[in-house]
Amino acid sequence: MIKLDQFLKLLGIASTGGQAKLMIIDGDVKVNGTVETRRGRKLTEDDQVTVGGQTFKVGDVTHSNN
C-alpha cells in the first residue's frame, strides 16, 4: 500500500510532498475516475490514478520501482 502523495512523488509528477499536496487539494488528481482531495488516501495495486491527462495503475508503477 502507498499513500496518494507518495505515489505522485514516486511517479516524478511532484518533486516534493508540498507540491503533491497542492495538486491533490486543487482537484488535479483522480483515483479510479473520481477527484480525490485526501493526500493520505491509501492506494491499492488495483487503483488507477489520473493526473495531467495520464492514467497510471498503482500496481504497475510500484512493482516496476522495486
Side-chain angles (χ1 to χ4, degrees):
M1 225 180 275
I2 186 170
K3 291 182 183 178
L4 181 56
D5 59 349
Q6 294 171 334
F7 185 70
L8 294 178
K9 289 192 324 185
L10 179 68
L11 288 172
I13 292 173
S15 57
T16 66
Q19 184 182 18
K21 177 183 175 182
L22 289 175
M23 292 173 72
I24 295 165
I25 289 173
D26 288 345
D28 296 335
V29 181
K30 292 182 180 180
V31 176
N32 300 326
T34 304
V35 173
E36 181 57 69
T37 57
R38 298 171 294 165
R39 70 179 184 173
R41 158 80 186 260
K42 292 181 181 166
L43 303 172
T44 65
E45 288 188 357
D46 294 328
D47 287 330
Q48 293 189 351
V49 176
T50 303
V51 60
Q54 292 185 288
T55 301
F56 305 90
K57 185 173 179 189
V58 174
D60 292 347
V61 175
T62 56
H63 287 304
S64 66
N65 283 300
N66 281 341

